[in-house]
Structures are given as structure tokens and as C-alpha cells.
Amino acid sequence: MQNNPRLGILLMIATTFVFAVQDGISRLLAENYNVIIIVMIRYWFFAAFVVTIAARQSGSIRAAAATKQPILQIFRGTLLATEICVMVSAFVLLGLVESHAIFACYPLLIAALSGPVLGENVGWRRWAAIGIGFVGVLVILQPGYTVFAPAAAIPLLSALMFALYGLLTRYAARKDSTATSFFWTGTSGAALMTVVGIWYWEPITAHDWQWMATLCITGALGHWLLIKTYEVAEASAVQPFAYLQLVFASAIGLFLLGETLRPNVAIGAAIVVGAGLFTLWRSRRASA
């Protein structure tokens, strides 16, 4: 473990850019193919990558798979796979800009749920920031206005699922190594998507297979960069830069996919990100 915050920040910026590109490709493919098929193929590649990395870190596949809490690990992996399906569906229905603006509230959900799930103490300042952040979500959603639609709840559901996944990952870390959790994330998700997705199979054109291959590569590259990020710097130092995925994904949506940025989405996203950065700062101070 190194301690190089500058390198860690650069790697996190690269990570968010790669994941934003992955989201853009997912949206393009999901306009023509079933979301479940896209996620299934992506998970096949991801599972192979995960098994390789986890086995390398643990010494063998058997060592990587050894867990004291198999039900929890399987639930985590299947939860993440389901969350990805939900979020890609949101990309198609709402676009990258609005979906990521709403999804950006997931750190606030983690902070809010860390008490009941992990027994962590959340002070009044962080509760205030959580409340302000959700005001930002309401600004984006505009409840009671014609822009608000049931589809807007989909990325919010995705954010809730991802927050729960993050909390369960922290809970699993009390007994299992990072390599073990990473192993189960890929394999259980791939198993679920294969069992479900095989029933939705449809032919994919040669041109779209190129996009699919790029999607798989960006997925593996993004996770590899994320691993390297946390190897060279503390999570608290680089986590605020994870919000750049919202910036990159919005840029792809605006300039490459022809999406628009409504004023309420921009204002609401700024409120959500500001509240999220404050909760991260308070969390860092509390653990110092």
C-alpha cells in the first residue's frame, strides 16, 4: 500500500472517465437490445477478469472463493448485477445526464443507512447534509410538475440498491478479504445474469459486437484502475473525485448523444454533489 494522493487522484479521474464511457456505450446498445443481454455478456467478461485478479491476490481460486458468509456474498453480487440492469434501463428512459444527476445521491444514502445497517454514528451535521442533498433530488425530479414521471424513480432505485451494496461490502469486509468479496461480486453476478439472460438471447450484429467488446474492455479497465487507485491512496483522499463520473457522463450525453441539460437538473445536481462532498468531509474528520 502506497501513499501517493496525487497519483491516486489521477487514477480516480481516469476511472470515472472510463466508467462514463462504459455508461454511454451501454445506453447505445440498450436502444437496440434487451438490457439483460447486454449486462449478461458484460458480466461474462467481468467474471473472467475478477477470477483472474482475485486468484492472483489470494494465491488460488479456492483461496479467493473461501468465505465465512456465503449468503451475504452471493446476495451482494446479485444485488449489484440487478442494480446495473436498473441503471442501464434508466439511461434509455431518461438519458445519461438526468440518470447520473439523480444517482449522485448514493453517498448520501450510504451515510443515512450506515447507522441502521452498520451501527455507525451519524451526527447532526451529516444528517443536515443528507436532508439538503435530498432537496437537490427533489429539485431534479420536480414533483408535482409535468416533467416529473415515474421513470425518474428508476435511477433513484438504482442509487438505493448501490448504496445498500456498498454498505454490505463494508459489512462483508469484517470477515472476508477484499479479494474474496471481489471474487463473489463477479461470479455470483455472472451466474444470475446467465440464468436469467439466456432466455432473452437475440442475434447481435457484427458492428454491435464491436461495441459490446468495447463495453467489456472498459468495464474491466475501469475496475482495474479502481483497484490501482485504492492501492496508491487512501479512499478518503480520492473519493470526492468519484463525482467526476457525473461530469463525464453528462458531457457524453450532451455532446455525443444529443441530450439536453435542464436548469433544474443542473441546480439539483450541484446541491446533491455539494451535500455529498460535505458528508465525505465530515466522515473523514470523524475517522481522523
Side-chain angles (χ1 to χ4, degrees), residues 97-247:
V97 176
E98 189 160 337
S99 295
H100 270 284
I102 298 171
F103 184 78
C105 73
Y106 81 86
L108 301 174
L109 291 170
I110 289 178
L113 296 173
S114 61
V117 176
L118 299 177
E120 297 179 356
N121 180 46
V122 180
W124 69 269
R125 292 181 180 85
R126 273 191 281 175
W127 276 118
I130 291 168
I132 293 172
F134 284 110
V135 169
V137 173
L138 291 177
V139 171
I140 297 170
L141 297 180
Q142 289 186 320
Y145 189 63
T146 54
V147 177
F148 179 72
I154 296 177
L156 188 59
L157 173 62
S158 178
L160 179 61
M161 295 171 71
F162 191 73
L164 181 58
Y165 164 78
L167 290 168
L168 292 178
T169 299
R170 281 158 60 175
Y171 187 87
R174 296 175 177 179
K175 294 182 179 179
D176 289 334
S177 67
T178 301
T180 296
S181 291
F182 196 46
F183 175 88
W184 285 98
T185 297
T187 55
S188 57
L192 171 69
M193 295 312 305
T194 301
V195 170
V196 176
I198 202 70
W199 301 100
Y200 293 89
W201 183 261
E202 57 184 300
I204 300 174
T205 67
H207 178 267
D208 288 336
W209 269 117
Q210 297 177 21
W211 283 114
M212 194 73 74
T214 306
L215 176 67
C216 293
I217 292 170
T218 54
L221 176 60
H223 283 282
W224 182 82
L225 286 169
L226 191 62
I227 292 170
K228 291 298 179 182
T229 299
Y230 291 128
E231 283 181 357
V232 302
E234 294 181 356
S236 59
V238 299
Q239 194 60 38
F241 293 88
Y243 278 111
L244 286 174
Q245 186 171 347
L246 168 60
V247 177

Side-chain angles (χ1 to χ4, degrees), residues 44-54 182 219-221 223-225 227:
W44 287 346
F45 193 88
F46 177 55
F49 170 75
V50 162
V51 170
T52 302
I53 295 296
F182 196 46
L221 176 60
H223 283 282
W224 182 82
L225 286 169
I227 292 170

Side-chain angles (χ1 to χ4, degrees), residues 235-267:
S236 59
V238 299
Q239 194 60 38
F241 293 88
Y243 278 111
L244 286 174
Q245 186 171 347
L246 168 60
V247 177
F248 291 136
S250 297
I252 291 172
L254 292 171
F255 299 113
L256 298 180
L257 301 178
E259 298 180 12
T260 58
L261 178 61
R262 293 182 288 114
N264 66 296
V265 174
I267 295 171

Side-chain angles (χ1 to χ4, degrees), residues 67-115:
T67 176
K68 300 176 181 178
Q69 39 201 354
I71 295 177
L72 174 63
Q73 292 288 13
I74 292 172
F75 180 72
R76 279 182 56 258
T78 55
L79 176 64
L80 181 62
T82 307
E83 181 272 325
I84 292 173
C85 292
V86 173
M87 192 60 177
V88 175
S89 299
F91 294 157
V92 178
L93 294 171
L94 296 174
L96 293 182
V97 176
E98 189 160 337
S99 295
H100 270 284
I102 298 171
F103 184 78
C105 73
Y106 81 86
L108 301 174
L109 291 170
I110 289 178
L113 296 173
S114 61

